[in-house]
């Protein structure tokens, strides 16, 4: 599946992280998405009871800190991307703010 939202390495994005009824919003830069292969993980890395395997590795920078998460694509639109990762929801939208 291809990503519909244009992702530019030097662009600015808004990221909303939701977990347990709370939401944290930040501006991020250097967003990159890497599609993960469908290879099964080794037995030591994953329990049989885990949910669906992550489909993307998401990397971005906030306040100079590198963030990396692996998640499953939940929503794929031209103006936003939503991922489920480790029980959290990450929503990326383009930002007009230049950092």
């Amino acid at each position: 599946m291809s990503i519909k939202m244009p992702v530019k390495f030097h662009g600015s994005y808004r990221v909303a992280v939701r977990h347990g009824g709370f939401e944290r919003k930040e501006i991020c830069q250097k967003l990159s998405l890497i599609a993960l292969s469908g290879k099964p993980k080794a037995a030591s890395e994953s329990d049989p009871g885990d949910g669906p395997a992550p489909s993307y590795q998401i990397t971005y920078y906030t306040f100079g800190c590198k963030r990396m998460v692996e998640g499953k694509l939940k929503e794929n639109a031209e103006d936003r991307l939503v991922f489920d990762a480790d029980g959290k929801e990450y929503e990326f939208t383009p930002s007009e703010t230049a950092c």
Side-chain angles (χ1 to χ4, degrees), residues 5 7-18 24-34 56-71 81 83 85-86 88-93:
M5 184 177 85
V7 177
K8 299 175 185 170
F9 183 75
H10 292 290
S12 291
Y13 298 89
R14 277 182 246 125
V15 58
V17 181
R18 297 181 190 95
R24 182 182 76 225
K25 293 183 179 182
E26 299 174 332
I27 298 292
C28 69
Q29 299 84 32
K30 298 182 182 179
L31 175 64
S32 66
L33 306 168
I34 299 172
Y56 284 90
Q57 178 182 8
I58 304 116
T59 305
Y60 63 96
Y61 286 77
T62 58
F63 303 108
C65 297
K66 183 177 183 177
R67 313 277 186 204
M68 289 180 65
V69 295
E70 290 184 355
L81 292 172
F83 295 91
D86 297 329
K88 296 180 183 179
E89 182 177 274
Y90 291 81
E91 178 182 327
F92 294 92
T93 55

Side-chain angles (χ1 to χ4, degrees), residues 43 45-53:
E45 295 179 28
S46 175
D47 292 334
D50 282 349

